[in-house]
Amino acid sequence: MHATTDSQATTPAAAPGGRSRWLALYTLCAGMLMIVLDVTVVNVALPAIQDDLGFTSSSLAWVVNAYLIAFGGLLLLAGRLGDLLGRRNIFTAGLIVFTAASVLCGLARSQEVLVIARFIQGVGGALTSAVILGMIVTLFPEPREQAKAIGMFAFVASAGGSIGLLAGGVLTQAISWHWIFFVNLPIGVLTALLSVKVIEKDKGLGIGRGTDVPGAVLITAALMVGVYTIVKPAAELGWTAGQTVALAVVTLVLLAGFIVREATAANPLVPLRIFRSRTLTGANLIQALCSSGMFGIFFLGSLYLQRVLGYDALEIGLAFLPTTAVMGLLSMKYSDKLVMRFGPRRPLIVGLVLIAVGLALFTQAPVGGNYVVHVLPVLVLLGLGGGICFPAIMGLSMADVKPEDAGLASGLIGTMGEVGAALGLAVLATLSATRTASVSATKPALEALTSGYHLSFAIAAVIVAAAVAIALTVMRPAKATAEVEPTEDDTVALEAA
């Protein structure tokens, strides 16, 4: 991909042993899986947490929002810190913070302690996940291996959420909600120890090469205020409410200040030259749009299964397993071969189209829906689309990035996904609730709920269709991977797929 710099000479990418690189990849994926699982595990356990600690319906949202604000706000800064201080250092530090905060969450006996601990968890999650993709592209500079490694990472990052639904249901029903946090302790400790053992230490560029305190403060504040605006006043009061508009203006002012700062700083936190790449810019826009549609639908789809079809937490987790299985099969066995054979752009477009079709199909699920007829085909299409397009997005987001900016680009694609997910969830949930309220006077309760869900599913399909348009018009075919000839084994695997 790029030549390795002196600061990266000690990374595993330069190590002679290939086995150590794959062990390092498994360790990175284990850390990411723990972060991803935590999001959906907590969602399943929210009713039990509410009953135990006495949260109101409005205050309960802060169990999720506190994590989301810290996580989304710090991803970009964490990615750049990885470039400056060493990505392994930031990854390991994030694991330690996340694990310690998980124990504090599990021990919480009051609302205040749980919300504060969740915020600290978000800090640890941002530090851990922001640098992973940058480490992967450094570990695997050869295109074929890189495509395979990114496919594995994309599967963990995108499919882990549905596994969390199942794990959350089992732990909450079999033991208690405290254990959804306690299970992170052995996983976090083991992953942190392995990170020191199997991931060779990188020196980083040094704090003097990119220290930009004003820029860091501006972008972190902008992201935190922006995410807060989405998940709190916009979702609860509406997009035109005075508080929402005021905070949106504050967010824009902070972003404008950040851009001015980065254009004039000697050592900017985010060099604006990175956005000259149409591939990187397009990949980040697609990531934001795709996350907006997918994350909101997993949430609202779960509500459809629960409130309309009467599923419990464990049944919801089992219902979403086909998405995980299909996505895992493609990501682990075929997505890298598709990218090597056709380049990342064409698989990206095909995957996005499959997702959009699946979301549109979900608008036909009725009140008395049948899982096999009305839900399973949707989940299979989402799994197919996600398994094909997410690895391509990850690869494209790093394709034109210099080695010294890998952490920044990794944090950027994570930030776009997180902010896109928050925005999509807030928009779709708000519009769904508004539609349900408007038709509830003339239709039965279940029909009104279903009508609201149908509207959100249709809008999500339109959002992903917009991502298809960007892929067709903005993205350039990646020459590096498209020029690699497939092997005979690859051709056989492609024909099987």
Side-chain angles (χ1 to χ4, degrees):
M1 189 173 189
H2 296 286
T4 304
T5 62
D6 293 340
S7 65
Q8 294 167 309
T10 59
T11 63
R19 183 171 177 269
S20 65
R21 292 182 299 141
W22 291 101
L23 288 175
L25 175 64
Y26 302 150
T27 302
L28 294 173
C29 287
M32 189 64 193
L33 181 61
M34 184 174 67
I35 303 300
V36 173
L37 287 177
D38 189 77
V39 177
T40 48
V41 164
V42 171
N43 283 339
V44 172
L46 285 177
I49 293 174
Q50 181 178 17
D51 293 340
D52 191 22
L53 299 184
F55 280 97
T56 64
S57 297
S58 59
S59 63
L60 182 65
W62 280 105
V63 177
V64 175
N65 293 346
Y67 179 90
L68 191 61
I69 291 169
F71 189 87
L74 291 172
L75 270 173
L76 195 57
L77 175 59
R80 192 55 178 168
L81 286 176
D83 291 332
L84 301 177
L85 302 178
R87 293 172 201 138
R88 193 193 75 172
N89 292 336
I90 298 300
F91 176 78
T92 306
L95 287 173
I96 294 171
V97 172
F98 185 89
T99 304
S102 296
V103 175
L104 185 59
C105 287
L107 295 174
R109 292 295 184 270
S110 69
Q111 299 178 17
E112 295 77 13
V113 171
L114 181 58
V115 170
I116 293 171
R118 287 286 288 163
F119 184 90
I120 300 172
Q121 253 194 327
V123 174
L127 292 171
T128 299
S129 60
V131 297
I132 292 177
L133 192 56
M135 296 172 77
I136 290 175
V137 298
T138 304
L139 282 165
F140 299 93
E142 194 274 321
R144 190 181 303 280
E145 287 189 337
Q146 186 179 109
K148 186 176 183 63
I150 288 178
M152 185 179 298
F153 166 76
F155 164 66
V156 171
S158 56
S162 56
I163 299 175
L165 292 173
L166 179 60
V170 171
L171 289 171
T172 302
Q173 292 183 10
I175 311 177
S176 75
W177 67 265
H178 298 278
W179 282 91
I180 67 171
F181 298 111
F182 286 146
V183 294
N184 290 332
L185 178 59
I187 300 173
V189 170
L190 179 60
T191 306
L193 292 174
L194 285 174
S195 70
V196 177
K197 181 72 173 177
V198 304
I199 303 176
E200 294 189 19
K201 186 176 182 180
D202 55 315
K203 296 178 181 178
L205 299 173
I207 198 69
R209 286 287 301 275
T211 305
D212 180 16
V213 175
V217 172
L218 285 169
I219 190 60
T220 302
L223 289 171
M224 284 190 171
V225 173
V227 173
Y228 172 81
T229 304
I230 293 167
V231 301
K232 186 63 175 175
E236 295 182 1
L237 304 177
W239 292 94
T240 59
Q243 185 179 353
T244 304
V245 173
L247 288 174
V249 170
V250 172
T251 301
L252 293 175
V253 169
L254 289 169
L255 284 174
F258 171 73
I259 293 172
V260 171
R261 169 65 188 178
E262 300 311 282
T264 57
N267 293 311
L269 175 70
V270 182
L272 297 183
R273 56 176 166 74
I274 199 172
F275 295 105
R276 295 173 186 168
S277 168
R278 290 176 58 189
T279 302
L280 178 142
T281 302
N284 278 274
L285 289 174
I286 291 171
Q287 170 79 337
L289 291 171
C290 195
S291 297
S292 297
M294 287 283 283
F295 188 84
I297 289 309
F298 276 118
F299 179 79
L300 292 168
S302 298
L303 291 180
Y304 168 77
L305 293 175
Q306 179 187 29
R307 296 181 179 178
V308 178
L309 300 188
Y311 285 30
D312 61 28
L314 184 57
E315 290 172 331
I316 291 172
L318 292 171
F320 277 97
L321 281 182
T323 301
T324 305
V326 173
M327 195 177 295
L329 177 64
L330 285 172
S331 298
M332 302 294 287
K333 292 185 66 66
Y334 298 115
S335 63
D336 60 316
K337 297 177 176 62
L338 291 171
V339 169
M340 298 307 300
R341 175 65 178 86
F342 300 106
R345 182 172 177 267
R346 280 183 281 181
L348 170 64
I349 293 170
V350 171
L352 290 172
V353 169
L354 289 173
I355 292 173
V357 171
L359 295 174
L361 188 62
F362 215 174
T363 63
Q364 303 305 306
V367 172
N370 179 277
Y371 175 77
V372 174
V373 175
H374 301 106
V375 180
L376 182 60
V378 173
L379 298 181
V380 170
L381 284 172
L382 294 182
L384 286 170
I388 294 173
C389 78
F390 283 132
I393 294 175
M394 299 298 176
L396 287 166
S397 69
M398 306 296 293
D400 295 335
V401 177
K402 296 179 179 180
E404 60 268 24
D405 293 330
L408 170 62
S410 176
L412 182 62
I413 194 71
T415 300
M416 296 302 289
E418 193 68 24
V419 173
L423 178 62
L425 177 58
V427 170
L428 296 177
T430 301
L431 293 176
S432 176
T434 302
R435 166 64 71 87
T436 296
S438 66
V439 302
S440 59
T442 58
K443 292 185 178 181
L446 290 182
E447 289 188 18
L449 276 174
T450 305
S451 176
Y453 297 145
H454 284 176
L455 176 63
S456 66
F457 299 156
I459 294 173
V462 172
I463 292 172
V464 177
V468 175
I470 293 176
L472 289 170
T473 58
V474 176
M475 304 295 290
R476 291 188 306 232
K479 296 180 180 179
T481 57
E483 292 173 354
V484 179
E485 291 296 328
T487 65
E488 183 178 349
D489 290 341
D490 291 344
T491 304
V492 172
L494 284 168
E495 291 173 353

